[in-house]
Each structure stands twice: as C-alpha cells, then as structure tokens.
Amino acid sequence: MYRERLQLKPGLLICAARAIFSQERGLNASLPKVVVTRRLPGVSLSGLSERVALAAPPPESPMPPEELLGLVPGAAGILCTLADRIDASLMDAAGPSLKVVSNFAVGVNNVDVAEATRRGIRVCNTPDVLTEATADLGFALLLAAARKFSEAERALRAGEFTGWDPWGFLGVPVYGGTLGIVGLGKIGGAVAARAGGFRMRVLYHNRRRLPPEQEKSLGAEYRGLDALLSESDFVVLCVPLAAESRGMIGRERLARMKRTAVLVNIARGEVVDEGALAEYLAEGRIFAAGLDVYEKEPEIHPSLLAAPSAVLLPHLGSATVETRERMGRFAAENLLAVLAGTEPPCPVN
Ligand code: GLV
C-alpha cells in the first residue's frame, strides 16, 4: 500500500538505488562509507548519497548476515534494522573506522551496546516517533484478543457464519477491567492513556517505582510483578529486552494470571516463554493472548499458530506510513550527525 501510495515499484526502486550507488561510488570515494542494511521508509538514498558513500544498494529484504559481514570492512556507519545482529564480531569486521550504528527501531537489543560503548562507537535509535503507533497496536491487540476477533474472522471467512449466534465467540469485557502494564515507559504510558477511555484501573510494574506525581498523572498504581499478574484482567508487556526481562513471563508467572486474563506482548518475544504460553492457551488456563513479537522471529512457535485464542501479528507496532517515515528520517539524522562529529538527536550510549 505504501509503495502504491508512492507510485513506485520495487524493481524501479532497486534500479534507482543501484544508479545512485554506482554514481556515488565513483564520484565520492572520499565520503565516509555507510552500509544501509535495507531499503527503509523515510531514508532518502539520494539525500544520504550527498554526504556518504553507500557500500551497496539497500536490499528489499533482510540482508543476510554474511553479506553484511562482507560489506562492513572500512565502514564508518551502519544504518540497520532490528533484524540485523550488530555484535563484537561484526564490529571487528568493520574495524576501527566504525563510528556509528543507527538502528531503525527504538529497541536496541540487536546491538551489543556495551561492546560498542567500549569501542567508542555511538549507538542511536528512534524513540518517541513510534510511541503512539505502538500503543495503538497494543490496545488493538488487547481488544482483538479479548473479543476473539481473529478466531471469529477466520470462521466467517471459512463460510461458518450461519447467522447471529447467542453463544458464538463470547469474549471478556474490556471496559472497566484492570490493566497491568509491565514497563511503564513512554509506550507503556501511552497504553495507560488509552485505558482512560475504557475506564480501566491501571497497575504497573517497573524495575524502579516512578515518583508519586508521575504515578498520579498517569493514573497508575505500582505493584510487584507477581501481584500485578494476579490482579490484572489484561497484562500488556512494554519492557525493553534486557537480561532482567528475558524470560520474565515464564510458566510460574503465567500461573499467577487469572484464567480470564489476556496477555499482550508488544515488547520483544524473548520476554515470554512461548512454549509455556501456548500450553496455557491450549488448556484454557488464560483466556487469550495478543502477540506482535516472537522469540525467534520470523519463526512462530507451532503451538501458538495452533492456538485459536492467540491473535498473532507480524511485528507491526510502528507500522504506519507516517511513523515509519519519521523513523527513517530520524535514523538518517542520527547517522549523519555522528559522522559530522556532532551530537545525534537520539543517542543510546
Ligand atoms: C520495534 O519493535 C522497535 O523497537 O522499534
């Protein structure tokens, strides 16, 4: 749709990118070398090419790790996505020329930030611009899972809608429920704001409790994680992936949730034990789940695919035209700022 809106075809885009690439390669050998790992909304290749030498035309699909490894030697910058692993071995391959890793995402769990910091490489991300879009999607998943949208639509498309059914696809009420937000940062706060319209009581859990005035303005009450899980009708995961959040929602934690509860994950798949979640859904030990992220993307646990009460989306949190364009502009600005020796708009380290 986005391509249609721009009236561009992938083939034409690749040709245009190749033209820019070959032209710049010849003319601007003195410019800093940059690897852009994928064609991205909002990242103007012609704009970038005035300031950097693109190592290769950014591909339409994820760049295979070995290709990235082959392109980075001598690069000063990498503009990458959450699908690219930027670790010590990639930094070794790039060598001492590498100054900046600009991630087209707010989460930077795909980048070894500690290692980059140790080497003096700046890491940047794209927060803020995606907060509202991601919160919209989290709330959409909450509603969809609570009211069985996916299961009911699948049945309708399969020709199984034979008339209004007083027993069909009965969900759980959202209005007036208790919402537990794990990770009340910017996105979590935006989810909390949406809950106001549904007259929900909002609980939250963070590593560090927020100051009372912030709790008050967000209308959120602090709980330990276990208490939040047992009190909430809806649990929305918004935590960044880090050592302390990896595997945070495992079997024992799922066991604390109400049988009527809905789990929504818009954070990272690795926060949840997917196998355990699939079992809980299959056994009706929680009501439903709405997931946008997965442990081993793009693979989905087969038992989740088989769970009718799971609403599954292909990592769409920030996927609106405006948001993705803003992310791209932001990612390019971060990259160019570091290469120009100035402070990037959004540094992580
Ligand atoms: C998306 O998941 C992001 O981190 O931006």
Side-chain angles (χ1 to χ4, degrees):
M1 216 218 305
Y2 177 51
R3 277 190 198 111
E4 281 159 21
R5 193 170 131 161
L6 292 178
Q7 297 186 310
L8 290 173
K9 298 221 162 43
L12 280 179
L13 284 164
I14 292 168
C15 291
R18 276 191 210 292
I20 291 164
F21 164 63
S22 45
Q23 186 194 13
E24 295 307 323
R25 200 187 208 184
L27 290 177
N28 292 319
S30 60
L31 294 177
K33 174 178 166 179
V34 163
V35 180
V36 180
T37 65
R38 191 157 185 181
R39 195 177 69 78
L40 295 167
V43 175
S44 153
L45 295 180
S46 53
L48 268 187
S49 296
E50 286 168 16
R51 317 242 320 253
V52 304
L54 294 176
E60 288 289 319
S61 46
M63 184 177 275
E66 52 293 357
E67 192 178 326
L68 179 56
L69 208 60
L71 284 173
V72 292
I78 304 176
L79 200 164
C80 56
T81 76
L82 52 81
D84 303 304
R85 180 142 301 283
I86 312 294
D87 56 12
S89 56
L90 195 92
M91 296 176 203
D92 282 342
S97 55
L98 188 61
K99 293 189 171 49
V100 56
V101 175
S102 177
N103 211 32
F104 180 90
V106 62
V108 285
N109 53 290
N110 58 310
V111 182
D112 187 339
V113 178
E115 184 60 31
T117 307
R118 205 178 62 71
R119 296 172 187 233
I121 300 167
R122 300 302 297 271
V123 178
C124 307
N125 67 346
T126 60
D128 305 327
V129 293
L130 48 64
T131 299
E132 303 303 339
T134 308
D136 281 349
L137 192 98
F139 221 85
L141 275 172
L142 186 158
L143 287 163
R147 299 299 300 274
K148 296 180 174 273
F149 285 7
S150 295
E151 198 180 342
E153 189 183 1
R154 275 192 299 272
L156 178 144
R157 288 180 188 274
E160 291 164 17
F161 180 38
T162 53
W164 181 81
D165 176 1
W167 299 101
F169 305 108
L170 302 183
V172 290
V174 173
Y175 187 88
T178 297
L179 170 65
I181 299 175
V182 182
L184 193 66
K186 289 177 184 158
I187 296 172
V191 172
R194 282 152 181 76
F198 288 78
R199 296 278 156 101
M200 297 174 98
R201 177 169 162 244
V202 179
L203 311 177
Y204 81 97
H205 176 75
N206 274 5
R207 254 186 319 165
R208 270 184 296 278
R209 189 170 173 169
L210 297 170
E213 56 286 3
Q214 215 174 329
E215 286 185 352
K216 199 162 168 225
S217 72
L218 290 163
E221 298 167 42
Y222 182 80
R223 288 289 184 281
L225 182 56
D226 290 344
L228 177 142
L229 293 170
S230 56
E231 275 183 63
S232 299
D233 300 307
F234 302 93
V235 175
V236 179
L237 305 175
C238 303
V239 275
L241 180 63
E244 50 294 0
S245 60
R246 190 177 290 275
M248 180 186 239
I249 308 296
R251 202 171 293 278
E252 297 75 31
R253 291 257 161 75
L254 288 168
R256 295 190 182 274
M257 291 178 66
K258 300 179 185 178
R259 290 183 90 89
T260 49
V262 172
L263 178 71
V264 172
N265 190 3
I266 52 171
R268 285 291 183 267
E270 294 95 320
V271 174
V272 177
D273 177 343
E274 276 179 8
L277 173 61
E279 265 174 47
Y280 270 68
L281 290 169
E283 292 164 11
R285 291 170 72 188
I286 66 170
F287 184 75
L291 307 178
D292 189 39
V293 287
Y294 305 90
E295 264 182 288
K296 296 197 176 96
E297 290 180 21
E299 281 168 43
I300 314 278
H301 197 293
S303 316
L304 276 182
L305 285 174
S309 56
V311 177
L312 307 175
L313 296 180
H315 204 148
L316 296 180
S318 61
T320 71
V321 173
E322 286 75 8
T323 299
R324 289 276 166 89
E325 281 179 346
R326 291 174 75 193
M327 288 168 69
R329 285 199 295 273
F330 208 178
E333 273 174 38
N334 278 327
L335 177 105
L336 292 174
V338 176
L339 295 182
T342 57
E343 191 58 15
C346 205
V348 170
N349 62 356

